[in-house]
Amino acid sequence: MRRVALIYNPASGQHSARRSSSIESVKAVLRDAGVEADSLETHAPGSGKALAAAAVKQGHDTVLACGGDGTVHEVLQGLVGTDVALGVVPLGTANALAQNLGLGRNPVKAMQSLLSAKPQQVPVGRIFFKETNGTDGWRYFTVAAGIGADALLMSSMDPELKRRYGYALYILEALKIWATNPFPLFDARFSGNGNGAGRVEQVSQLLAVRIRSFGGALGVLAPGATLHKNDLSVVAFKTRSRIDYLRFLLATVVGRQTFSRTIELLDADSVDCRPLNGAKGSVFVEADGEVLGALPARIEVAREKLTLLVPPGAQP
């Protein structure tokens, strides 16, 4: 780590004064270690990708995404397939990737850990989807991609209220969706699922997980998922029952979830999802907590890899 670009979202997570102070403290850690550091501020949705791509062209060997999972998601779009390493400095409301890497929530301590981290090539997920304007889009992802109720939850989050109330707002909005969402079914075609066979299921929620642990309340949502896995760990909800959803989520919080005929954990090379014939309304799609669009969608593991800074002792 010799020349670093710090990319941060001025609207992510903490209040502006505290966030600015954290960025300066992170830069001080880098200066003390003899590392050249440039700080770059995102200014619009999608600008993180452009800033990361520019950092690659300008000769930076490392890009630090300073924010939550949304900031990391934008930045990695410009780094996948390059030798430039991505480091994560937690400054957002949700920091699932940072928690999975054992970086905690203190940005200065995280930066100190990253100084001794080793770059590792890891597979990343890729999701194809229909954008709101009707065009086809796609994104890489590192944490998870979801279709259904979780994407609806992300779409309902007000950015200002999210910054103000954090996880409390997630819980409130999740309860609203649990009480009012009809959990519409859609077709999911699984390819491979560990034995070379394909299958089609009707599901109301699908989550393709790339990390071992989300940290916080969710913890280990999909046992067996890791950043090094070359296929998808998929949690498929083949039910519309609110009771089934509630039981599973409560069991997950205490680390005792089980999988069954109605909520299944399976491996798949890819998943193609489409609305049922005659279905009304859109089924939302998200990746790394960012709402991207709606069905139809396809989730797979990309051929390109990401160079990720992994701290000593981390088990991503």
Side-chain angles (χ1 to χ4, degrees):
M1 193 186 298
R2 294 183 176 86
R3 189 181 178 204
V4 172
L6 290 86
I7 299 177
Y8 69 98
N9 178 357
S12 176
Q14 306 173 30
H15 296 292
S16 58
R18 190 186 312 169
R19 183 171 47 250
S20 297
S21 175
S22 295
I23 293 294
E24 291 305 314
S25 296
V26 168
K27 290 175 68 175
V29 172
L30 289 166
R31 283 196 302 269
D32 291 345
V35 178
E36 179 184 349
D38 302 310
S39 56
L40 308 170
E41 183 178 304
T42 62
H43 55 81
S47 62
K49 174 183 177 180
L51 290 173
V56 172
K57 291 182 179 179
Q58 292 165 6
H60 294 83
D61 56 71
T62 305
V63 173
L64 299 177
C66 305
D69 293 315
T71 302
V72 176
H73 177 79
E74 282 204 13
V75 170
L76 76 90
Q77 308 303 320
L79 297 180
V80 174
T82 76
D83 293 329
V84 175
L86 169 67
V88 182
V89 178
L91 277 172
T93 304
N95 300 285
L97 183 58
Q99 298 306 302
N100 185 64
L101 293 170
L103 289 168
R105 296 187 180 277
N106 184 302
V108 172
K109 290 182 178 179
M111 188 64 252
Q112 291 168 342
S113 294
L114 289 173
L115 287 176
S116 56
K118 300 297 183 183
Q120 295 184 14
Q121 291 269 304
V122 299
V124 292
R126 177 161 50 190
I127 182 167
F128 299 84
F129 54 91
K130 188 69 68 176
E131 297 196 24
T132 54
N133 62 6
T135 60
D136 295 327
W138 64 270
R139 295 278 187 90
Y140 297 114
F141 66 93
T142 57
V143 173
I147 301 171
D150 75 310
L152 179 61
L153 169 63
M154 301 306 173
S155 73
S156 70
M157 300 289 285
D158 179 272
E160 179 56 38
L161 293 178
K162 180 180 173 184
R163 286 192 291 273
R164 183 178 301 177
Y165 298 112
Y167 276 113
L169 185 63
Y170 278 98
I171 294 171
L172 178 61
E173 292 297 329
L175 287 172
K176 287 182 181 178
I177 288 172
W178 176 78
T180 61
N181 183 34
F183 298 103
L185 295 171
F186 55 91
D187 277 337
R189 181 179 297 274
F190 299 89
S191 173
N193 58 77
N195 59 13
R199 59 192 277 199
V200 179
E201 300 283 357
Q202 288 190 354
V203 301
S204 61
Q205 167 68 45
L206 185 142
L207 196 66
V209 180
R210 295 294 304 159
I211 58 174
R212 180 181 54 82
S213 173
F214 286 77
L218 279 181
V220 179
L221 179 61
T226 79
L227 282 172
H228 294 290
K229 202 168 182 226
N230 288 311
D231 61 1
L232 302 170
S233 294
V234 183
V235 181
F237 289 71
K238 299 179 289 182
T239 177
R240 299 176 65 189
S241 167
R242 301 184 202 283
I243 298 301
D244 287 347
Y245 268 81
L246 184 61
R247 284 175 177 165
F248 179 81
L249 292 175
L250 290 176
T252 300
V253 169
V254 298
R256 292 188 173 184
Q257 78 270 38
T258 57
F259 297 92
S260 63
R261 181 181 58 83
T262 55
I263 301 178
E264 186 176 1
L265 175 64
L266 52 90
D267 296 326
D269 296 328
S270 64
V271 188
D272 282 283
C273 299
R274 297 187 176 276
L276 296 181
N277 289 333
K280 296 180 180 180
S282 298
V283 176
F284 289 107
V285 172
E286 63 88 11
D288 295 341
E290 297 295 296
V291 181
L292 304 177
L295 292 182
R298 173 183 172 83
I299 308 174
E300 63 183 24
V301 177
R303 293 181 180 179
E304 304 86 358
K305 292 190 176 183
L306 171 70
T307 304
L308 181 67
L309 286 181
V310 178
Q315 297 178 338

